[in-house]
Amino acid sequence: MALRLYELVGVEETRPFSPYCWRIRMALAHKGLDATSIPWRFTEKDAISPYKSEKVPVLLDGDASVVDSWAIANYLEVAYPDRPSLFGGEGGRAMARMLNWWGDIAVIGAMFPLIAADIHGHLRPVDQDYFRNTREARFGKSLEAVAADRDAKVEGFRKGLDPLRLTLKSQPFVGGAAPNYADYIMFGGFQWARVTSAFALLKPEDPVYAWREKMLDAFDGMARKSEGYPV
Amino acid sequence: MALRLYELVGVEETRPFSPYCWRIRMALAHKGLDATSIPWRFTEKDAISPYKSEKVPVLLDGDASVVDSWAIANYLEVAYPDRPSLFGGEGGRAMARMLNWWGDIAVIGAMFPLIAADIHGHLRPVDQDYFRNTREARFGKSLEAVAADRDAKVEGFRKGLDPLRLTLKSQPFVGGAAPNYADYIMFGGFQWARVTSAFALLKPEDPVYAWREKMLDAFDGMARKSEGYPV
């Protein structure tokens, strides 16, 4: 049963960048599973409409299709129970649900204004139009205006990472002694930024920075080998 | 082996109010363990200095003493492995570490300015002086000034609960189908407020409100039976 994963890309197919797709890329590696990448772009809605989704990741596993990163992680945990666990038990699965929401808000959501203009620079023209229109409507201002005060705004982003930072002062990974899906939830956002933006989100002395380095090294440097900026 | 728990109280010994002590009260009930309460007040440092702590909770289990709510929860999980698990496995234990930090910041920390002046009203005079001096130094202003804009500040507190709120829209408890220590982490803060303050932290239509009701009903209404304000 070949696994295939629709992954968001821009101009370069070697530069998948969706934070949600990266959560799943890391989860697949954690499970020791290979998946063929199917590059997908924002405006290619038709390609995934058979799976009743307008967004990626979409995972195809033989005849099965699963949409949404949280649903896919749960699918992988159930479908591949003999592989290393993503959650470390039922308590972890339940608590990861909250960490997933926190990651959506405090990592991805707070990071987005800081890198949105840079993401735009990596898209094909037709996707640039789509991205600019939808995101500027969401922000209520131009991508350039959103980017303009990011040197000030990054302080708030960093402060918002305190629960993650304090955890990483208490133990090596969010998942404990070794990374698990809780780490991939958070790392997806940082890899999204690394692939699309040269903006320095973290200071080198930050424990989150050191953790990100370890995540970039995981699985034989899988995430670091993907095209990206030095971080 | 009798368990005993030092719990923070003010004027009334029937009104233990520390959010960290309530985490442990709920954890003990989860494990089906009784513990004799030893009322303790802010200025009674000498009473717990033999345990190398200046704060409560302090748990005494026979000859053993454990300080700090997180350490106590972990102690209970290890010392009473045949009782219901607080974490639901190693993954849950690790992820609860981050939820504990989040609870410290987004629940307890964000809630404190909203109820600090009310806490003061429940203390004995000598503890009032201690509380006012230490907390006003922390805030950089008087307790009354901190309370003055709480009707506006509560909006930010509520917004900060989004990761918890979205989780409770996704599943009944942070711990999944039933509450576990992840829920007690969050609930400790709400019980702290309920015991000391009549200020309305949550709107009745908030999923967090409904979840708090369920937590107040847990263990035969243990938390609701403690002295407190209607919430």
Side-chain angles (χ1 to χ4, degrees):
Chain A
M1 292 226 296
L3 287 162
R4 289 172 292 164
L5 182 67
Y6 282 94
E7 293 183 290
L8 181 66
V9 299
V11 172
E12 299 158 89
E13 297 196 348
T14 53
R15 228 172 165 113
F17 65 88
S18 154
Y20 308 103
C21 292
W22 271 103
R23 287 177 179 173
I24 298 307
R25 263 291 150 205
M26 300 295 281
L28 286 163
H30 183 100
K31 288 262 176 205
L33 295 167
D34 281 327
T36 305
S37 181
I38 307 174
W40 179 88
R41 293 171 185 86
F42 282 119
T43 50
E44 297 172 349
K45 304 288 185 198
D46 289 352
I48 54 174
S49 63
Y51 312 111
K52 299 187 171 47
S53 183
E54 295 202 320
K55 291 184 283 193
V56 294
V58 174
L59 179 75
L60 307 181
D61 188 358
D63 291 338
S65 62
V66 194
V67 304
D68 178 80
S69 66
W70 177 251
I72 294 171
N74 280 266
Y75 170 82
L76 292 173
E77 187 75 345
V78 172
Y80 298 93
D82 299 336
R83 306 293 186 112
S85 173
L86 290 170
F87 299 117
E90 265 310 297
R93 200 213 60 76
M95 294 187 211
R97 175 75 275 204
M98 180 157 165
L99 295 181
N100 201 75
W101 285 121
W102 186 85
D104 287 356
I105 294 170
V107 181
I108 296 174
M111 191 183 276
F112 187 49
L114 308 175
I115 65 170
D118 294 332
I119 293 173
H120 182 266
H122 280 277
L123 305 179
R124 292 182 178 179
V126 60
D127 295 310
Q128 285 185 321
D129 291 345
Y130 167 84
F131 183 84
R132 181 178 289 279
N133 290 336
T134 54
R135 273 54 176 179
E136 290 187 346
R138 197 187 295 172
F139 286 126
K141 50 183 158 177
S142 74
L143 294 178
E144 290 71 22
V146 169
D149 64 345
R150 65 181 178 179
D151 288 327
K153 215 181 289 176
V154 71
E155 298 298 335
F157 165 74
R158 288 174 186 157
K159 179 69 183 158
L161 298 178
D162 271 350
L164 175 61
R165 182 172 295 118
L166 290 162
T167 302
L168 296 171
K169 287 183 179 180
S170 317
Q171 58 195 31
F173 296 95
V174 187
N180 70 11
Y181 195 67
D183 295 273
Y184 312 143
I185 288 169
M186 312 309 167
F187 178 70
F190 288 99
Q191 178 72 347
W192 175 47
R194 177 187 164 275
V195 167
T196 57
S197 174
F199 183 66
L201 289 170
L202 300 173
K203 291 183 177 173
E205 63 270 27
D206 189 338
V208 182
Y209 185 103
W211 162 86
R212 184 180 59 181
E213 287 292 302
K214 289 189 282 185
M215 299 304 293
L216 287 165
D217 290 336
F219 311 122
D220 199 26
M222 183 180 77
R224 203 188 289 280
K225 286 175 188 166
S226 185
E227 299 278 348
Y229 293 92
V231 287
Chain B
M1 289 226 297
L3 288 161
R4 288 172 293 163
L5 183 67
Y6 281 95
E7 294 182 289
L8 180 66
V9 299
V11 172
E12 300 158 271
E13 296 196 350
T14 52
R15 227 172 167 114
F17 65 88
S18 154
Y20 308 104
C21 292
W22 272 103
R23 286 176 179 173
I24 297 308
R25 262 292 151 204
M26 300 295 280
L28 287 163
H30 183 101
K31 288 264 179 203
L33 296 168
D34 282 327
T36 305
S37 182
I38 307 175
W40 179 89
R41 294 173 185 84
F42 282 119
T43 50
E44 298 173 348
K45 305 288 185 198
D46 288 352
I48 55 173
S49 63
Y51 312 112
K52 298 187 171 43
S53 184
E54 297 203 318
K55 288 184 286 192
V56 293
V58 174
L59 180 75
L60 307 181
D61 189 359
D63 291 338
S65 63
V66 194
V67 304
D68 179 80
S69 65
W70 177 251
I72 294 171
N74 280 266
Y75 169 82
L76 292 173
E77 187 76 343
V78 172
Y80 298 93
D82 299 336
R83 306 294 185 114
S85 173
L86 289 170
F87 299 118
E90 266 310 296
R93 201 213 59 76
M95 294 188 211
R97 176 75 276 204
M98 180 156 166
L99 295 181
N100 203 74
W101 286 121
W102 185 85
D104 287 356
I105 294 169
V107 180
I108 296 173
M111 191 182 276
F112 187 49
L114 308 176
I115 65 171
D118 295 331
I119 292 173
H120 182 266
H122 281 276
L123 305 179
R124 292 181 178 181
V126 60
D127 295 311
Q128 284 185 323
D129 291 346
Y130 167 84
F131 184 83
R132 181 179 290 280
N133 289 338
T134 54
R135 273 53 176 180
E136 290 187 347
R138 197 186 297 173
F139 287 125
K141 50 183 158 177
S142 74
L143 294 178
E144 291 70 23
V146 169
D149 64 345
R150 66 180 178 178
D151 288 327
K153 216 181 287 175
V154 70
E155 298 298 336
F157 165 73
R158 288 175 186 157
K159 179 70 184 159
L161 298 178
D162 270 351
L164 175 61
R165 182 172 294 120
L166 290 162
T167 302
L168 297 172
K169 287 182 179 181
S170 317
Q171 59 195 29
F173 297 96
V174 187
N180 70 11
Y181 196 67
D183 296 273
Y184 312 144
I185 288 169
M186 312 309 168
F187 177 70
F190 287 99
Q191 178 71 348
W192 176 46
R194 177 187 162 276
V195 167
T196 56
S197 173
F199 183 65
L201 289 169
L202 300 172
K203 292 182 175 173
E205 64 268 28
D206 189 338
V208 182
Y209 185 103
W211 162 87
R212 184 180 59 181
E213 286 293 302
K214 289 189 283 185
M215 299 304 293
L216 286 166
D217 291 337
F219 312 121
D220 198 26
M222 182 179 76
R224 202 188 288 280
K225 287 174 189 167
S226 185
E227 298 280 348
Y229 294 92
V231 288

